Amino acid sequence: MEPLCIVSVHRAVVLLMSGKAAVVEEGGVLHAEHLSLPLPVVLSLTRYVHVPVRRSVPPTRRTVLQRDGHRCAYCGGVADTVDHVLPRSRGGRHEWGNVVAACMRCNHRKADRLLHEIGWSLLFTPHAPRWSLAFGQAAARAEPAWSPYLAA
């Protein structure tokens, strides 16, 4: 078993009612006029679903901040923006190994310079996160009951 996606409560109830899913973990009861159902928190599909190879998660502002734990890669403070280690104006690309979370102060001070030009170093080496890790961290914060099912 592996996590496939996050669905709304409405979609989860439709999957339950149509027999396509079973409740693995519930979080209460949903009441209708003539029916009561367990509130689905974790579902398991009743039939095997082929999952195509997942593409990597793109390095967006949200995913970079999530990967870096909202910490600046230069000073360790609270990050609110992203920075290209090798600036795009100097041929740097917008890819995981070149994008880090940064606070506004460090991002402004670094500008379009290279780290060795200003004597700075990164607190960690940037890397592409695994899909399950990116999915799991955000989902576990959104719903703590999902944590045991997202461990990979």
Side-chain angles (χ1 to χ4, degrees):
M1 290 178 40
E2 67 176 299
L4 296 177
C5 64
I6 297 173
V7 297
S8 66
V9 173
H10 181 270
R11 177 72 177 139
V13 170
V14 168
L15 289 170
L16 282 174
M17 303 274 301
S18 63
K20 295 180 180 178
V23 176
V24 175
E25 188 157 334
E26 58 185 74
V29 179
L30 292 173
H31 296 283
E33 186 177 358
H34 300 288
L35 179 67
S36 292
L37 288 173
L39 175 66
V41 175
V42 177
L43 293 176
S44 173
L45 296 178
T46 55
R47 292 181 37 190
Y48 174 78
V49 174
H50 173 71
V51 180
V53 177
R54 290 188 174 97
R55 294 178 290 165
S56 63
V57 178
T60 62
R61 180 179 180 274
R62 182 177 59 89
T63 56
V64 171
L65 289 172
Q66 184 178 334
R67 176 199 67 185
D68 297 349
H70 292 270
R71 291 283 158 211
C72 178
Y74 304 117
C75 71
V78 177
D80 46 10
T81 186
V82 296
D83 183 54
H84 292 86
V85 179
L86 175 61
R88 295 182 86 176
S89 63
R90 295 197 180 190
R93 300 189 55 170
H94 186 72
E95 54 192 22
W96 282 110
N98 191 43
V99 182
V100 294
C103 64
M104 286 292 244
R105 183 171 183 253
C106 288
N107 197 352
H108 182 71
R109 287 178 60 204
K110 180 180 172 287
D112 68 342
R113 295 179 288 182
L114 301 176
L115 295 179
H116 69 82
E117 292 175 352
I118 54 178
W120 287 10
S121 62
L122 291 172
L123 298 178
F124 60 89
T125 303
H127 63 281
R130 291 192 342 259
W131 178 86
S132 61
L133 182 63
F135 173 76
Q137 289 173 345
R141 277 195 295 278
E143 181 60 59
W146 295 344
S147 295
Y149 304 99
L150 296 174

